[in-house]
Amino acid sequence: MSSTAKKKGFGATIWDYLTTVDHKKIAILYLLAGTLFFVIGGIEAMLIRIQLAKPDNDFVSAGLFNEIITMHGTTMIFLAAMPLLFAFMNAVVPLQIGARDVAFPFLNSLGFWLFFWGGIFLNLSWFLGGAPDAGWTSYASLSLASAGHGIDFYAVGLQIAGAGTLISGINFIVTIVNMRAPGMTFMRMPLMTWTTFIASALILFAFPPLTIGLFFLIFDRMFGSNFFDHTMGGNTIIWEHLFWIFGHPEVYILVLPAFGIYSEIIPVFARKRLFGYSSMVFATILIGFLGFMVWAHHMFTVGLGATANAIFAIATMAIAVPTGMKVFNWLCTMWGGSIKVTTPMLYALGFIPSFVAGGVTGVMQAAAPVDYQLHDSYFIVAHFHYVIVGGIVLALLAATHFYWPIMFNRMLNETLGKITFVFFFIGFHLTFFIQHFLGLMGMPRRVFTYLPNQGLDTFNLISTVGAFFMAIGVILLVINVIITSIKGQPCGRDPWGDGRTLEWAIPQPIPFYNFKQTPLVRGLDTFWIEKMEGNKEGMSYAEPISDIHMPNNSFIPFVMVIGLFVAGFGALYNQDADKPWSLVALIVGLAITLGAMIVRSLKDDLGYHIHKEDLLNDKGGNE
Amino acid sequence: MMKGLKKWRLFALLTALIVFLSGCGKNYLSTLTPAGEVGREQHNLLLLATAIMTLVILVVVVIYVLAIIKFRRKKVGENVIPKQVEGSTTLEVLWTVIPIILLLILAVPTVALTYKFADTKAMDAKDADGKAKAVTVNVTAKLYWWQFEYPNEGIVTSQELVVPTGEKVYFNLKSGDVKHSFWIPTIGGKMDTNVENINKFYLEFDKESKDLETGVFYGKCAELCGPSHALMDFKVKTLSKADFNNWVSEMKASKNHVASGDLEKQGEDIFKTSCITCHAVSGDGKGTGIAPNLATFGDRNRVAGVLDHNKKEIKKWINDPQSVKPGNTMPQPEKINNGKKFSDQELDALAAYLMGLSVEK
Amino acid sequence: MNLKSKFTPQSWPEHPELSTAEGKNKVVGFWIFLGGETVLFATLFATFLALKNKGPSGMEFTTQNLFELPLAFIMTMLLLTSSLTSVYAMYHMKNYNFKGMQAWLAITVLLGLGFLGLEIYEFTHYVHEGFTFSQSAFGSSFYTLVGTHGLHVVIGLAWIVLLMVRNAGRGLNLYNAPKYFIASLYWHFIDVVWVFIFTVVYLMGVIK
């Protein structure tokens, strides 16, 4: 954090964050917004589990339940997991590769605001006539039949948020291709950077099919087209294909950076270099590649035919191989190391068996004939929560503790962190392990209730109890954050003591230009190398101190997104005859966005320079 | 050290749980108690997959626990710098090749069964009279009920599928509104009912359902289809071939049904003015797809798929269908009874009439 | 070195678009963006192929009786030529010939406008015949695919015109050279997509 923020008043700080293009501040924005949506999605999860705690429950109504499950899934995937990962990618990746910022700071800000206002747009549906209710997959026949505007909020909101994600993905690719410090070859990049790179490539290729699918849905619902109306020649299976061509890589978009986080944590706390680095890189690429070849395993029961099912079954099984490689490499990293069980390491240790469990159930479902039974049952719910919570959420919690010192120059309380872990971890297994059996015992997913005496009562109750444990865990984490913000002391550089990569070598608080001099990277785990050689500064330099070029802050991204936000409402209400203002909103909104783009194009924004003299004085360039 | 032990205990507990659970679930609903060839083969494949995966988990957990026990910093010393090992090609090859072999063991039966379950050629086999040899059922899924039409036999029923045991029964699956999915967990895996095409598959039923606690197998809709998705249940009655043939002829005769007794007759009159436009009461002929065929109503296990099968629940259902199954397409009584609710007496009459609609009594 | 410094043809770098960090980022980023665009169009093509000639029962519109190859061919030629003229413009940019570049870009814009005019004519013609966006799944997929391309043409034209107007008075420098370069990349991409549309939609639609 730049120390300038502290001297400013509250309003000025807000303005600073509204206009910032600094990746470290955008990381904080992502963290805050992602946490907000994570809490909303978590409350929705609790409502689901309360409703299902006993048979024939009427805690929420059938229609409302469908809205809750839809919003829970959509919020957690698009508005919580992805932004929180983006938070850590933004905070860490530029530092890891020795860059002063991302390649396109302006677009970084734009990407964030698109995600944020897209998420707000989607959630406003709760107050404007009802949330989407066709599941996060929003299969076309149901989503076309759904009354009200819920699905419209889903389609338009995700369109806005998705654009932000795509922009951020492109930004990270270019950053990693172009902005690496001298000596930071591809095969010296830390795994977090590698996984960010591959995940971004997946975003690039996976999001356009979703964009198109959502456009079809928007057109069909709001503008009279017939993509999914079979009486007019349309075909709903197209939606399923498009959604899963996006949806399956999305899983890897989420889980690869999570793998990256674990691959950073485990070597640090095992005090040992990541075992099989090059095969880890290879496995990451292979998973990313295969991730595009398997989408139809979500559609085994659609009736695509035996040949398609068989091919996709085999392709899906193949993904287990590189994933297994990763697990064994993590184990071998710990083997022969010196393991210190800190909170982040505790999460990483919790992750390995949890994720293996989620992975193997995935392989079981890859066997198409077995999936005929498992598909759309609670077994699936159990499986993907093992992957998403056991893999991704544990990574996010681990990263929160691990990278908090980088983002805020403070350490979260370790004791409280470990207690959080215990509650969350036990709660997680209690909630989801038993759901495997609910599925096998014949409980379909997405049911708002179930009849008594079908043998499902006890297990559902146990599952609900587990959810409360998880909720306690999350509340403890929030308390930990609050305590740390109030009482925490600056922790300085490399607070874990065994940092290996460049981000730990930078003096704290990290100056807004990151590196006074561009570092020279001399190998994998460059900070470790310098430390072992007794270099107190922790870095070698590739250049003498000289002027640093920095981008200007800009309010334009915010304005552009507000324009789209307004236009979104226009498009959404365009079909209602009683809302003639909708067309005006659509036009005005698009005009605002377009105007902002034109201003951006016409105004030359060359940035500014921090002069060498200012860098050399005590304040190190901070005014 | 303690932590490692805890993991072991957890794992042993889980293993015990799996063993315990494999005999669990209700034998009319659970996939773990298959009552047909398809379900049994899927169950066997599930067991094979579980076995392989348990092996994988075991290997991982052993290495994991040993690593945590042996290489804790407390044990190796606070200031020890471990050897920075780069990797090992041998190990990499090992944990690439062994999983591939394990997956191949799983892949071979997977592919074989995938093709086997998709083989519906026998549906087209015709006997000398041009009648299909195999029992075929055309399933139409509607918001939130199921129509079962038997094209060869020329009969139609709904909500309760009746099938013969000991032979392959073929299904043509289609949706009448939004996408649903047809699933009888105990008998075999599911298949979607799409809006734009007909899906075909087959199932086999081994066991006669009359021996079950509930007298029927439970069927479910497995694809989110609207508010009452959870309530879109159907039931499956399996009969011996002889009983099935008997049932078919009773179904054909159901067009001659007459109400007996004053109450039933009154019910029939109300039915004929208010309900008959949507509901047929004869099982003879083709399905209309408008509303469930009620020819077998008196024989059913449940009212509207979910309520207990008695007159009280019938009255509750007719009096306010929306409160039972939100979003369903059955009109509220005001819509079909000149703007007012049925009186309690009228409901009694309707219930009596409906309970009398039976082909099995 | 200032981004806006004046150059002579001799001091002007061989790859002006890549000679600054910003330029490199822009060019690499734009190529990657085009990768995403390719998937976007691939999705639209796949949908078109799935829904081609599909409509309500008894629909009379098919690719055969709807499309006119000569018109599509003229449109193709216009766009292909405009791609060539934008190559000339880039040739002049690399030689630090600002006027030449602007002139060839102007021709590019005119050819693009010609293409757009014909496309609008084509669409209105279909709509008059009753083949509309809402008429069938075929109509929806056709207008979405070709219309998305048309929208790209509009954006491309607006972009190039904006660049030309904005920089008319200031000439070439290392700040705007990458901007011109990626605009021309975009224009080429639009052209390539059209070649596929001509082949998949029109040629494969008419010839059977």
Side-chain angles (χ1 to χ4, degrees):
Chain A
M1 278 201 304
S2 149
S3 60
T4 47
K6 280 179 215 151
K7 286 179 224 147
K8 290 176 182 165
F10 181 70
T13 310
I14 296 282
W15 177 251
D16 185 37
Y17 274 87
L18 286 180
T19 59
T20 189
V21 295
D22 180 347
H23 72 97
K24 298 181 287 302
K25 286 181 183 166
I26 289 173
I28 291 170
L29 287 174
Y30 268 118
L31 189 69
L32 287 174
T35 306
L36 169 73
F37 289 121
F38 181 76
V39 168
I40 293 174
I43 291 169
E44 284 153 2
M46 294 313 294
L47 296 178
I48 293 171
R49 276 324 315 170
I50 292 171
Q51 164 68 14
L52 292 175
K54 63 183 176 98
D56 273 342
N57 201 358
D58 58 356
F59 178 70
V60 295
S61 71
L64 182 59
F65 183 86
N66 286 356
E67 294 176 27
I68 295 172
I69 55 162
T70 304
M71 287 299 283
H72 167 70
T74 313
T75 303
M76 283 304 196
I77 297 280
F78 290 97
L79 308 178
M82 295 237 297
L84 287 171
L85 286 170
F86 274 141
F88 298 116
M89 291 171 172
N90 260 305
V92 175
V93 169
L95 303 179
Q96 277 195 332
I97 61 173
R100 295 216 164 94
D101 207 324
V102 292
F104 305 110
F106 178 90
L107 290 186
N108 204 7
S109 158
L110 180 62
F112 169 77
W113 291 114
L114 280 168
F115 138 69
F116 180 72
W117 286 106
I120 294 289
F121 190 92
L122 184 56
N123 273 284
L124 281 177
S125 62
W126 285 117
F127 309 103
L128 298 169
D133 59 357
W136 87 285
T137 52
S138 208
Y139 272 15
S141 59
L142 182 60
S143 60
L144 289 192
S146 170
H149 281 303
I151 303 293
D152 305 333
F153 276 103
Y154 169 92
V156 176
L158 285 192
Q159 199 70 287
I160 297 174
T165 307
L166 187 62
I167 287 173
S168 306
I170 294 174
N171 204 347
F172 276 115
I173 298 177
V174 181
T175 305
I176 294 168
V177 170
N178 269 0
M179 310 280 283
R180 283 167 291 126
M184 179 60 85
T185 58
F186 272 99
M187 290 312 276
R188 284 178 183 173
M189 290 193 324
L191 250 284
M192 175 74 181
T193 302
W194 256 113
T195 51
T196 300
F197 185 53
I198 301 300
S200 301
L202 294 187
I203 288 174
L204 177 71
F205 295 121
F207 267 73
L210 176 71
T211 306
I212 293 299
L214 288 173
F215 268 128
F216 290 169
L217 191 58
I218 290 172
F219 290 165
D220 265 19
R221 282 186 61 99
M222 304 173 210
F223 299 99
S225 66
N226 297 303
F227 290 101
F228 305 130
D229 182 353
H230 68 108
T231 61
M232 300 294 275
N235 191 319
T236 59
I237 311 294
I238 291 177
W239 167 269
E240 294 185 32
H241 279 296
L242 294 184
F243 187 85
W244 288 118
I245 288 172
F246 148 76
H248 197 78
E250 170 70 13
V251 178
Y252 296 103
I253 292 169
L254 295 174
V255 89
L256 285 179
F259 288 169
I261 289 167
Y262 296 121
S263 304
E264 298 294 318
I265 291 174
I266 292 173
V268 167
F269 297 110
R271 213 177 252 175
K272 187 160 159 279
R273 173 194 156 111
L274 187 67
F275 192 87
Y277 170 83
S278 40
S279 70
M280 286 296 249
V281 171
F282 173 71
T284 307
I285 298 170
L286 198 60
I287 291 172
F289 180 75
L290 288 174
F292 279 99
M293 311 286 154
V294 299
W295 79 88
H297 69 215
H298 297 268
M299 300 166 65
F300 279 152
T301 65
V302 170
L304 301 176
T307 309
N309 281 1
I311 290 171
F312 279 101
I314 302 297
T316 306
M317 289 180 189
I319 292 197
V321 177
T323 315
M325 279 161 72
K326 282 190 167 272
V327 171
F328 287 113
N329 276 313
W330 286 317
L331 291 176
C332 283
T333 307
M334 299 197 308
W335 196 273
S338 163
I339 300 170
K340 185 176 181 191
V341 185
T342 57
T343 307
M345 189 61 174
L346 202 50
Y347 279 107
L349 291 175
F351 150 80
I352 291 177
S354 311
F355 186 78
V356 170
V360 296
T361 53
V363 180
M364 288 163 71
Q365 290 160 76
V370 178
D371 187 66
Y372 297 161
Q373 283 286 22
L374 305 181
H375 178 75
D376 267 346
S377 78
Y378 252 82
F379 192 93
I380 301 294
V381 178
H383 157 72
F384 69 68
H385 280 97
Y386 259 79
V387 173
I388 290 180
V389 182
I392 298 153
V393 177
L394 290 184
L396 291 170
L397 296 173
T400 306
H401 291 269
F402 188 54
Y403 288 128
W404 203 264
I406 295 244
M407 294 177 80
F408 300 104
N409 193 18
R410 302 275 188 285
M411 290 278 261
L412 287 171
N413 184 302
E414 276 286 288
T415 319
L416 204 48
K418 284 175 186 167
I419 297 171
T420 306
F421 169 81
V422 170
F423 272 101
F424 195 85
F425 192 71
I426 291 175
F428 157 63
H429 284 284
L430 210 53
T431 310
F432 296 113
F433 186 73
I434 212 135
Q435 290 183 356
H436 291 112
F437 297 97
L438 282 174
L440 290 171
M441 283 154 56
M443 182 167 164
R445 72 189 272 207
R446 291 168 166 172
V447 290
F448 82 96
T449 192
Y450 50 95
L451 297 179
N453 305 318
Q454 294 188 102
L456 308 172
D457 310 7
T458 321
F459 285 10
N460 269 301
L461 182 62
I462 294 173
S463 184
T464 301
V465 171
F468 277 95
F469 275 81
M470 287 164 77
I472 294 170
V474 174
I475 292 168
L476 287 176
L477 176 65
V478 174
I479 293 173
N480 196 349
V481 167
I482 293 170
I483 292 176
T484 308
S485 312
I486 297 169
K487 287 192 173 167
Q489 296 301 315
C491 60
R493 190 177 79 172
D494 195 16
W496 299 109
D498 286 314
R500 306 177 69 86
T501 38
L502 209 44
E503 75 271 28
W504 303 107
I506 307 167
Q508 283 282 6
I510 298 174
F512 64 97
Y513 46 80
N514 295 356
F515 297 94
K516 199 182 283 186
Q517 292 160 276
T518 305
L520 178 69
V521 176
R522 296 166 54 223
L524 184 68
D525 293 338
T526 174
F527 182 36
W528 182 262
I529 293 173
E530 302 288 350
K531 268 200 285 196
M532 288 299 113
E533 292 181 2
N535 180 350
K536 287 274 182 293
E537 285 196 51
M539 269 191 252
S540 301
Y541 302 109
E543 57 169 22
I545 294 181
S546 57
D547 289 4
I548 294 174
H549 178 237
M550 295 300 291
N552 289 322
N553 280 6
S554 174
F555 190 52
I556 293 177
F558 193 86
V559 177
M560 276 165 77
V561 176
I562 291 298
L564 282 181
F565 186 74
V566 173
F569 277 104
L572 190 134
Y573 287 117
N574 181 45
Q575 51 198 318
D576 295 1
D578 62 328
K579 298 195 177 68
W581 53 264
S582 61
L583 192 67
V584 181
L586 182 61
I587 293 168
V588 168
L590 287 178
I592 293 174
T593 304
L594 221 61
M597 285 168 79
I598 289 174
V599 170
R600 164 79 180 161
S601 306
L602 293 185
K603 213 180 84 189
D604 290 351
D605 185 358
L606 297 173
Y608 65 98
H609 284 85
I610 313 165
H611 294 292
K612 187 177 164 186
E613 304 77 51
D614 297 327
L615 286 171
L616 287 171
N617 72 20
D618 322 334
K619 287 191 225 146
N622 289 329
E623 295 129 54
Chain B
M1 187 69 199
M2 274 311 293
K3 173 129 184 82
L5 277 178
K6 249 195 290 181
K7 289 275 171 207
W8 268 115
R9 254 186 273 146
L10 186 72
F11 184 72
L13 197 74
L14 294 186
T15 319
L17 201 62
I18 289 167
V19 174
F20 161 71
L21 287 167
S22 56
C24 206
K26 300 284 184 183
N27 64 352
Y28 51 86
L29 179 65
S30 174
T31 67
L32 300 171
T33 54
E37 190 54 27
V38 174
R40 193 153 32 246
E41 282 179 310
Q42 287 166 343
H43 186 240
N44 291 342
L45 189 58
L46 176 79
L47 292 182
L48 172 69
T50 311
I52 296 172
M53 294 310 145
T54 311
L55 180 71
V56 172
I57 293 183
L58 234 115
V59 172
V60 170
V61 168
V62 168
I63 302 173
Y64 172 83
V65 171
L66 286 179
I68 295 177
I69 295 174
K70 287 178 69 168
F71 301 106
R72 287 289 291 276
R73 190 159 300 174
K74 280 184 204 129
K75 257 190 140 173
V76 295
E78 200 56 43
N79 295 317
V80 174
I81 301 291
K83 189 159 170 264
Q84 303 293 307
V85 187
E86 231 178 272
S88 155
T89 317
T90 325
L91 283 176
E92 299 287 351
V93 171
L94 205 66
W95 58 56
T96 308
V97 172
I98 294 176
I100 289 178
I101 294 170
L102 290 178
L103 288 174
L104 281 178
I105 297 173
L106 184 60
V108 171
T110 294
V111 173
L113 285 179
T114 304
Y115 277 96
K116 186 179 171 189
F117 293 147
D119 181 9
T120 54
K121 280 200 286 291
M123 281 176 101
D124 307 325
K126 300 263 165 48
D127 62 13
D129 307 336
K131 284 238 173 191
K133 284 180 183 166
V135 177
T136 304
V137 184
N138 292 342
V139 178
T140 308
K142 299 275 291 185
L143 289 168
Y144 309 104
W145 60 279
W146 300 82
Q147 172 175 286
F148 305 110
E149 185 194 344
Y150 300 70
N152 299 326
E153 289 77 10
I155 56 172
V156 58
T157 185
S158 63
Q159 293 297 62
E160 273 195 27
L161 173 68
V162 179
V163 284
T165 53
E167 61 180 291
K168 283 183 179 167
V169 179
Y170 291 85
F171 294 91
N172 289 310
L173 305 168
K174 192 166 177 24
S175 164
D177 33 53
V178 302
K179 186 179 172 105
H180 306 273
S181 190
F182 177 80
W183 187 28
I184 314 167
T186 321
I187 306 300
K190 62 189 74 64
M191 195 154 204
D192 295 354
T193 62
N194 294 331
V195 294
E196 54 273 286
N197 69 297
I198 290 171
N199 273 336
K200 297 168 194 286
F201 84 142
Y202 73 88
L203 292 170
E204 277 183 81
F205 304 80
D206 285 355
K207 205 158 86 173
E208 287 188 42
S209 57
K210 61 170 184 264
D211 306 329
L212 296 165
E213 179 193 336
T214 45
V216 285
F217 291 104
Y218 277 26
K220 301 269 177 187
C221 172
E223 182 65 58
L224 180 65
C225 53
S228 289
H229 160 59
L231 305 175
M232 193 170 159
D233 287 9
F234 62 99
K235 305 291 176 285
V236 185
K237 202 171 269 176
T238 53
L239 305 172
S240 68
K241 187 70 183 179
D243 286 350
F244 177 75
N245 289 338
N246 193 26
W247 179 79
V248 170
S249 40
E250 288 292 330
M251 281 297 281
K252 293 195 87 84
S254 66
K255 62 182 170 214
N256 305 320
H257 174 86
V258 277
S260 58
D262 289 346
L263 196 62
E264 281 191 36
K265 280 209 179 350
Q266 187 204 351
E268 184 176 24
D269 287 342
I270 302 168
F271 192 91
K272 291 224 158 115
T273 46
S274 297
C275 316
I276 200 84
T277 38
C278 301
H279 290 284
V281 288
S282 158
D284 187 38
K286 288 178 172 247
T288 60
I290 299 167
N293 183 298
L294 300 179
T296 65
F297 194 88
D299 306 328
R300 287 195 194 153
N301 178 277
R302 294 271 175 174
V303 174
V306 286
L307 299 174
D308 284 340
H309 194 250
N310 57 44
K311 288 185 177 165
K312 183 173 152 255
E313 299 290 325
I314 297 175
K315 286 163 70 181
K316 177 179 164 190
W317 166 240
I318 297 173
N319 194 42
D320 190 2
Q322 283 304 323
S323 74
V324 176
K325 273 186 162 179
N328 85 86
T329 54
M330 173 143 150
Q332 295 294 101
E334 296 87 337
K335 287 245 173 84
I336 49 173
N337 191 38
N338 305 322
K340 56 183 195 298
K341 289 219 175 269
F342 291 113
S343 72
D344 201 46
Q345 199 277 331
E346 285 172 320
L347 288 171
D348 278 334
L350 271 172
Y353 171 68
L354 288 169
M355 279 303 217
L357 293 170
S358 164
V359 299
E360 288 179 27
K361 279 167 197 155
Chain C
M1 182 174 63
N2 192 323
L3 281 174
K4 292 195 171 171
S5 317
K6 289 284 176 201
F7 285 86
T8 64
Q10 284 71 38
S11 65
W12 184 242
E14 193 180 347
H15 292 289
E17 73 279 4
L18 294 175
S19 57
T20 61
E22 286 79 6
K24 264 185 225 150
N25 285 345
K26 275 204 171 80
V27 172
V28 172
F30 204 77
W31 273 108
I32 289 163
F33 168 73
L34 290 183
E37 285 264 83
T38 307
V39 181
L40 189 128
F41 274 104
T43 313
L44 289 172
F45 274 110
T47 309
F48 174 79
L49 288 175
L51 297 179
K52 182 167 126 174
N53 296 340
K54 300 272 168 63
S57 50
M59 180 180 77
E60 78 252 46
F61 298 112
T62 62
T63 50
Q64 256 97 356
N65 63 26
L66 209 55
F67 297 152
E68 302 275 353
L69 267 192
L71 182 72
F73 181 74
I74 295 169
M75 288 162 76
T76 310
M77 281 303 119
L78 282 176
L79 213 56
L80 280 179
T81 316
S82 79
S83 213
L84 182 70
T85 55
S86 78
V87 171
Y88 285 149
M90 285 310 104
Y91 171 78
H92 286 300
M93 182 193 80
K94 295 206 171 174
N95 287 331
Y96 201 61
N97 178 350
F98 182 67
K99 285 215 174 93
M101 178 183 78
Q102 294 277 85
W104 280 111
L105 282 180
I107 296 169
T108 306
V109 168
L110 287 178
L111 289 166
L113 283 173
F115 170 88
L116 209 57
L118 287 182
E119 184 151 271
I120 290 166
Y121 164 77
E122 187 198 1
F123 280 12
T124 44
H125 177 69
Y126 293 154
V127 170
H128 275 297
E129 286 190 11
F131 180 67
T132 64
F133 184 60
S134 309
Q135 182 269 336
S136 61
F138 173 34
S140 304
S141 62
F142 168 79
Y143 285 108
T144 307
L145 169 59
V146 183
T148 305
H149 175 266
L151 184 68
H152 277 69
V153 174
V154 172
I155 294 170
L157 289 175
W159 187 0
I160 295 174
V161 169
L162 203 65
L163 274 178
M164 287 169 62
V165 173
R166 171 67 178 140
N167 293 308
R170 18 162 105 192
L172 261 180
N173 54 42
L174 288 181
Y175 179 70
N176 59 27
K179 292 179 182 239
Y180 277 107
F181 184 80
I182 59 171
S184 90
L185 270 186
Y186 189 68
W187 195 252
H188 288 310
F189 175 77
I190 290 170
D191 192 38
V192 171
V193 171
W194 179 258
V195 170
F196 279 93
I197 290 182
F198 178 69
T199 314
V200 173
V201 178
Y202 293 96
L203 217 51
M204 283 165 59
V206 174
I207 296 167
K208 254 264 160 82

